[in-house]
Amino acid sequence: MSIVNSCSTVGSNLGDVSCQGRRETPSMFMVGGKQFSASEYVDPDTLQAAIVAATKLSTGDSNKLYSFPIINKVTNATEANTKGSLALGPVVRLKKGRPAYTFVMQDLTQFQYENLLAFDNKVIPLFMFDDSSQFWGFRAGVSNNVLNTNPFSGAIVRIEVSGNGWKDSENVETGQAVVDISYLSISDFEKRASYMALPNFSTGDVEGLQDVSLIEPAAHVSNVHSLKAYIKVPQLSGDIDLGPRYGAALAALTWTGFTGVGFATPLTLTSVAYTGGKLVLTWDSTAYTALAAATKIKVVPPTVTVLDTADITEIEIGSITLVK
Amino acid sequence: MDQKKKDIVPFEHVNFNAVWANGKTEKEFIEHERHHGLTDAQLSEAYKLCKLAQNPPAEVVETKQTPAPAAAAAVK
């Protein structure tokens, strides 16, 4: 080697900082567009509260996080590096393998699996919670001499969902749901992984919400419409009516209605009751009468956050469009 | 200072929109909401509660008077 060289500029110092974390075994992951600001990750309790709050947002909110089921098996499916060499030369890495992992989630119900399929073959940011209570994501770097206050977001992955078929009576792993993730950017995965240890966080804190459908069980009578709230399941005749448990509480919350182009015109609800196993919505008769026949009315139920505050937890109610 | 207005008034099994009711007469309210199976007397009471929810009475604030020094000395 020549005495004059540039070797000292190739790398960086290699001293370690004790007690810093590393990626451990994945326990559960969350996907969605939520980006945590520096004030939200100022300490573990604040970040934990922000994570839980993000899972309770309504579908369609850009800050919503969806929590996936518990992971029961992890397989490293990272692509192998592509290597080559000249006849006499050293082995050269031609291409670095892209990080990818296969997760098996045990004994998911058909109900849950169908909901997972909504994420099949999608590209979405992902946060990983590992078995050392560390919550991993992505944070863009900053230039030197500046403290990093960049938003903390999920790392972009492609998700594929498969499996949940018949078991073969031989191997526990057969018939289980399989979720494959592949990180789009090797560089982001390797260089920009950021985490916070959340010692008080548990996967059960962010269980996925259940979708609730509103159904009109009978034709409306003038300006009075009736609704029932169901969780629809694959089990025949097994749809779950939320009325007996939550009907009165749901009626006490704020419901709204809209008509017109883009459902931008409010239609006043004068009362909401839970009567005879149904939610009874009464529209302002003057405004209702003025609507043309077959006018569509969109009913917007209480949000997940409002439901949660009223102790109606773990559900999200979808809207319904009624016809005059 | 006004107490906080309430927009929803629960009465029996019905939750009334107090904002809407506040702009209606009692007769209009009763006719509009009669289908809930409540009696006219009950609906009349519900209407009054809606009006009260939207027009809460001003809160009475008691202020404690501190006697002037001269007056305080006279008391002794």
Side-chain angles (χ1 to χ4, degrees):
Chain A
M1 190 192 306
S2 59
I3 294 174
V4 179
N5 62 69
S6 300
C7 296
S8 69
T9 63
V10 168
S12 62
N13 289 322
L14 291 171
D16 197 10
V17 176
S18 299
C19 301
Q20 278 288 294
R22 56 146 296 140
R23 290 187 178 100
E24 302 291 349
T25 307
S27 294
M28 185 267 286
F29 60 84
M30 282 176 255
V31 298
K34 171 65 179 175
Q35 293 192 327
F36 298 96
S37 66
S39 61
E40 287 177 307
Y41 61 72
V42 65
D43 60 50
D45 285 350
T46 306
L47 179 59
Q48 181 173 328
I51 293 167
V52 172
T55 62
K56 291 178 178 174
L57 295 173
S58 298
T59 299
D61 191 312
S62 60
N63 286 316
K64 182 172 175 69
L65 287 180
Y66 297 90
S67 54
F68 272 56
I70 299 293
I71 296 167
N72 296 98
K73 182 182 177 185
V74 182
T75 304
N76 185 351
T78 301
E79 293 173 315
N81 293 336
T82 305
K83 296 177 180 176
S85 65
L86 298 176
L88 302 175
V91 174
V92 176
R93 190 193 67 206
L94 300 171
K95 193 188 84 165
K96 189 179 266 190
R98 196 172 299 275
Y101 296 86
T102 297
F103 304 121
V104 178
M105 294 161 182
Q106 191 172 346
D107 292 337
L108 300 191
T109 63
Q110 179 63 20
F111 174 79
Q112 191 168 31
Y113 183 72
E114 287 177 12
N115 291 329
L116 274 188
L117 284 175
F119 295 95
D120 184 30
N121 217 19
K122 298 285 174 21
V123 174
I124 192 165
L126 177 144
F127 291 98
M128 185 67 74
F129 185 65
D130 70 22
D131 65 352
S132 289
S133 293
Q134 297 172 135
F135 188 73
W136 290 89
F138 163 89
R139 186 174 66 164
V142 294
S143 57
N144 207 359
N145 305 119
V146 177
L147 281 177
N148 195 342
T149 56
N150 279 338
F152 176 54
S153 63
I156 308 292
V157 300
R158 174 173 285 280
I159 290 184
E160 288 162 4
V161 179
S162 58
N164 227 49
W166 301 112
K167 298 184 177 183
D168 68 358
S169 77
E170 303 257 340
N171 186 337
V172 174
E173 196 168 337
T174 58
Q176 305 295 359
V178 176
V179 178
D180 294 288
I181 66 166
S182 177
Y183 288 85
L184 263 57
S185 169
I186 300 172
S187 177
D188 284 354
F189 183 78
E190 293 186 336
K191 292 182 179 175
R192 295 290 179 258
S194 303
Y195 77 97
M196 179 171 268
L198 304 176
N200 297 320
F201 183 75
S202 175
T203 53
D205 296 341
V206 289
E207 286 181 10
L209 302 176
Q210 296 165 344
D211 281 326
V212 173
S213 296
L214 292 172
I215 291 163
E216 196 172 15
H220 63 96
V221 179
S222 185
N223 61 326
V224 180
H225 287 251
S226 297
L227 297 176
K228 295 190 85 160
Y230 279 104
I231 296 175
K232 294 195 285 186
V233 296
Q235 180 188 11
L236 298 176
S237 298
D239 294 338
I240 300 165
D241 180 5
L242 293 190
R245 182 166 182 179
Y246 291 128
L250 285 173
L253 300 176
T254 300
W255 296 66
T256 49
F258 298 90
T259 61
V261 179
F263 294 111
T265 308
L267 182 64
T268 302
L269 269 171
T270 66
S271 61
V272 180
Y274 182 66
T275 311
K278 292 177 285 191
L279 289 161
V280 179
L281 278 61
T282 306
W283 305 100
D284 178 270
S285 60
T286 305
Y288 189 88
T289 304
L291 298 175
T295 294
K296 292 181 177 175
I297 305 166
K298 183 178 183 180
V299 178
V300 179
T303 63
V304 177
T305 308
V306 171
L307 293 170
D308 199 62
T309 304
D311 285 337
I312 304 173
T313 57
E314 298 175 4
I315 62 167
E316 177 175 358
I317 306 175
S319 62
I320 183 173
T321 302
L322 306 172
V323 179
K324 180 183 175 185
Chain B
M1 183 190 296
D2 284 350
Q3 292 177 359
K4 193 178 179 186
K5 292 181 180 179
K6 291 180 182 173
D7 292 344
I8 297 176
V9 169
F11 186 89
E12 295 292 332
H13 58 283
V14 188
N15 299 276
F16 293 102
N17 180 345
V19 179
W20 171 82
N22 191 40
K24 298 291 173 186
T25 65
E26 183 173 338
K27 184 182 175 191
E28 289 171 333
F29 177 85
I30 291 173
E31 285 181 0
H32 198 275
E33 302 297 323
R34 192 169 270 145
H35 61 278
H36 288 302
L38 300 174
T39 65
D40 283 7
Q42 287 175 311
L43 287 170
S44 175
E45 189 178 348
Y47 177 75
K48 290 182 175 68
L49 289 171
C50 287
K51 295 292 279 189
L52 190 63
Q54 284 295 295
N55 306 282
E59 190 177 326
V60 178
V61 180
E62 287 189 16
T63 54
K64 192 174 182 180
Q65 299 274 343
T66 305
V75 171
K76 285 180 182 176

